[in-house]
């Protein structure tokens, strides 16, 4: 069976827009009975320049517990192709914590909806070998004993959240449980050798599985949709440009970090010299020599700072060039001026000035 690869943002969005499919995938990830799922406003976030390698969907999910009680939780699902900064994920979480829309109750007992953060990563996380990692908080007393009485508690749950991290490159075709079967549609070892936009799935793995049938059907529809394939082509070219840009930026940031480390090291040496000068006030001649050395080091530091400023300016110029190259690449791929402007988050006139 040939289906569209859901690691592509456009396919993943198309898949998760189906409420039944979203319930199946999220139920498997959370190991909970999710009876209702609703995509929350401002759900898709993959078009801003500061977050272009992360795709996000926010869900409100009604969970039925083993005792039959139901409650509402917030699920923030973030997917990325590329290895990205942790700060980007934290910024998205910060938005959820600040949103008044995620508060329930009246003014006296208002509290936030419990939140679970789900990360679908297109890269590995260090040496962690588990394909799916559950990070769950617990409460302890002073002596390190787990506290259970009175928990869960709305106040405590408002200030903490659990996380689920999926390393897609760690999915290697083995199906040992329900989650393995659901996540098998993301297994990149099943990529068609001649076309990374489609996966080759074994039909027999999903025989008599009524929940998986809608997922497979929707991925089949996506694979045969001409507009979807065009969007995937654009995504391929788009992320190729981004990956080159991010690699260049990471190299430059590494150099800047090294320079800052050297400056801090020099500052530490200067402070050490100051202490020595205070101890040897009686030795005026030696003190003068040490002060002259200190002045020379400060001048060297200023020169390094000026060099850093110059590098930052150069970085800005290079970023502008990257945007220009991105515009040209998307233009060559057949996108209109308006589509390019929307994809890159830039003004239409900027696009016109490049492709004229």
């Amino acid at each position: 069976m040939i289906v569209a690869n859901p690691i592509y943002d456009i396919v993943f969005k198309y898949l998760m827009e189906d409420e039944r499919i979203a319930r199946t995938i999220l139920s498997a990830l959370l190991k909970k009975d999710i009876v209702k799922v609703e995509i929350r406003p401002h759900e898709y976030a993959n078009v801003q320049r500061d977050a272009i390698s992360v795709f996000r969907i926010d869900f409100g999910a009604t969970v039925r517990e083993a005792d039959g009680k139901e409650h509402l939780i917030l699920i923030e699902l973030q997917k990325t192709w590329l290895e990205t900064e942790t700060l980007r994920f934290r910024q998205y979480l910060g938005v959820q914590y600040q949103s008044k829309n995620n508060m329930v109750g009246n003014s006296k007992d208002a509290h936030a909806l419990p939140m679970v953060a789900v990360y679908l990563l297109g890269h590995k996380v260090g040496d962690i070998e588990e394909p799916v990692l559950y990070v769950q908080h617990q409460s302890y007393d002073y002596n390190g004993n787990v506290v259970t009485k009175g928990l869960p508690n709305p106040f405590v749950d408002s200030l903490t959240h659990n996380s689920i991290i999926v390393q897609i490159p760690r999915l290697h075709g083995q199906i040992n449980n329900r989650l393995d079967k659901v996540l098998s549609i993301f297994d990149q070892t099943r990529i068609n050798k001649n076309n990374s936009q489609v996966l080759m799935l074994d039909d027999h793995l999903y025989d008599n599985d009524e929940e998986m049938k809608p997922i497979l059907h929707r991925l089949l529809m996506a694979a045969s949709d001409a507009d979807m394939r065009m969007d995937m082509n654009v995504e391929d070219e788009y992320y190729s440009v981004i990956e080159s840009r991010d690699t260049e930026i990471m190299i430059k940031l590494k150099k800047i970090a090294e320079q800052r480390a050297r400056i801090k090291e020099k500052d530490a040496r200067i402070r050490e010299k100051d202490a020595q000068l205070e101890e040897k006030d009686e030795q005026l001649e030696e003190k003068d020599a040490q002060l002259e050395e200190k002045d020379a080091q400060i001048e060297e530091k200023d020169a390094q700072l000026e060099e850093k400023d110059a590098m930052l300016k150069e970085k800005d110029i290079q970023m502008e060039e990257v945007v220009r190259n991105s515009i040209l690449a998307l233009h060559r791929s057949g996108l209109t001026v308006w589509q390019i402007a929307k994809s890159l988050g830039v003004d239409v006139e900027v696009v016109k000035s490049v492709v004229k």
Side-chain angles (χ1 to χ4, degrees):
M1 177 187 299
I2 300 176
V3 300
N5 189 348
I7 200 170
Y8 283 82
D9 290 350
I10 187 64
V11 179
F12 184 70
K13 173 179 178 292
Y14 177 69
L15 190 67
M16 299 303 288
E17 284 176 336
D18 185 291
E19 196 265 350
R20 180 181 177 183
I21 292 174
R23 278 194 290 111
T24 298
I25 294 176
L26 295 176
S27 294
L29 282 167
L30 272 65
K31 296 187 286 188
K32 296 278 189 179
D33 181 14
I34 297 179
V35 297
K36 183 180 179 181
V37 167
E38 181 179 353
I39 295 178
R40 295 172 69 86
H42 310 294
E43 65 274 20
Y44 304 119
N46 67 333
V47 295
Q48 300 299 321
R49 286 186 60 196
D50 61 345
I52 46 183
S53 63
V54 177
F55 183 86
R56 187 189 88 216
I57 311 179
D58 301 327
F59 297 95
T62 301
V63 178
R64 180 184 293 132
E65 299 294 349
D67 58 5
K69 294 182 179 179
E70 296 182 0
H71 60 95
L72 182 65
I73 67 171
L74 177 66
I75 301 175
E76 172 151 314
L77 191 153
Q78 300 187 44
K79 182 183 74 66
T80 176
W81 268 33
L82 309 174
E83 191 164 357
T84 188
E85 301 94 338
T86 305
L87 178 61
R88 289 183 179 176
F89 293 130
R90 288 176 61 88
Q91 287 172 335
Y92 292 144
L93 289 172
V95 171
Q96 297 305 327
Y97 274 106
Q98 294 176 25
S99 176
K100 294 181 180 180
N101 294 328
N102 297 330
M103 301 295 292
V104 294
N106 56 42
S107 58
K108 292 184 178 180
D109 64 351
H111 59 274
L113 290 172
M115 181 169 67
V116 178
V118 180
Y119 305 99
L120 297 177
L121 306 180
H123 60 86
K124 297 178 181 179
V125 179
D127 296 325
I128 300 174
E129 296 182 354
E130 292 296 326
V132 183
L133 191 67
Y134 288 85
V135 183
Q136 299 178 336
H137 70 271
Q138 286 187 308
S139 300
Y140 303 87
D141 63 15
Y142 178 79
N143 296 314
N145 301 310
V146 176
V147 175
T148 58
K149 185 177 181 180
L151 296 174
N153 176 274
F155 179 82
V156 175
D157 292 340
S158 294
L159 301 175
T160 56
H161 70 273
N162 295 332
S163 299
I164 303 172
I165 301 172
V166 179
Q167 301 183 83
I168 293 176
R170 299 286 189 188
L171 302 174
H172 297 307
Q174 296 182 354
I175 298 180
N176 301 311
N177 53 50
R178 180 60 180 169
L179 180 58
D180 287 344
K181 179 178 284 189
V182 171
L183 292 181
S184 66
I185 63 170
F186 294 96
D187 187 355
Q188 298 303 293
T189 64
R190 304 172 188 267
I191 284 180
N192 184 304
K193 294 181 179 179
N194 299 319
N195 183 3
S196 63
Q197 296 179 0
V198 297
L199 302 179
M200 308 294 293
L201 300 183
D202 183 355
D203 304 44
H204 299 297
L205 292 176
Y206 312 99
D207 285 345
N208 303 317
D209 193 324
E210 295 302 319
E211 289 187 327
M212 290 300 296
K213 287 181 180 178
I215 297 176
L216 300 176
H217 178 69
R218 201 158 176 87
L219 291 177
L220 275 169
M221 291 174 59
S224 61
D225 188 290
D227 291 336
M228 192 79 66
R229 290 198 303 271
M230 184 180 72
D231 286 338
M232 284 192 281
N233 289 335
V234 172
E235 210 170 311
D236 277 331
E237 188 167 356
Y238 187 53
Y239 276 102
S240 176
V241 173
I242 293 172
E243 191 168 15
S244 299
R245 185 213 65 172
D246 284 352
T247 300
E248 186 176 350
I249 290 175
M250 288 176 64
I251 292 173
K252 291 185 181 298
L253 289 176
K254 182 180 179 180
K255 290 181 180 178
I256 291 172
E258 291 173 349
Q259 289 179 340
R260 287 176 177 170
R262 287 196 293 268
I263 290 172
K264 288 183 67 174
E265 183 181 349
K266 289 182 183 296
D267 286 342
R269 289 202 295 266
I270 291 172
R271 288 193 294 269
E272 182 181 352
K273 290 295 182 182
D274 286 341
Q276 293 173 350
L277 290 173
E278 290 177 3
E279 293 176 0
K280 299 180 180 181
D281 283 340
E282 70 280 2
Q283 301 176 10
L284 296 178
E285 292 182 0
E286 182 179 354
K287 179 180 179 181
D288 290 339
Q290 289 174 335
L291 288 173
E292 291 177 359
E293 181 180 357
K294 177 184 175 183
D295 290 338
Q297 289 174 332
I298 291 174
E299 291 178 0
E300 182 180 357
K301 176 184 174 183
D302 290 338
Q304 290 174 337
L305 289 173
E306 291 178 0
E307 181 180 356
K308 184 185 75 172
D309 289 340
M311 291 184 64
L312 290 174
K313 291 178 181 178
E314 181 182 357
K315 175 187 170 185
D316 290 339
I317 294 173
Q318 292 173 336
M319 284 293 292
E320 292 177 359
E321 182 63 21
V322 169
V323 171
R324 181 178 181 278
N325 290 338
S326 298
I327 291 172
L328 291 174
L330 294 176
H331 181 63
R332 287 194 296 271
S333 69
L335 267 68
T336 67
V337 169
W338 293 98
Q339 289 173 323
I340 295 172
K342 183 178 179 182
S343 297
L344 297 179
V346 299
D347 190 85
V348 172
E349 294 303 320
V350 173
V351 178
K352 290 180 178 178
S353 66
V354 173
V355 301
K356 64 181 181 179

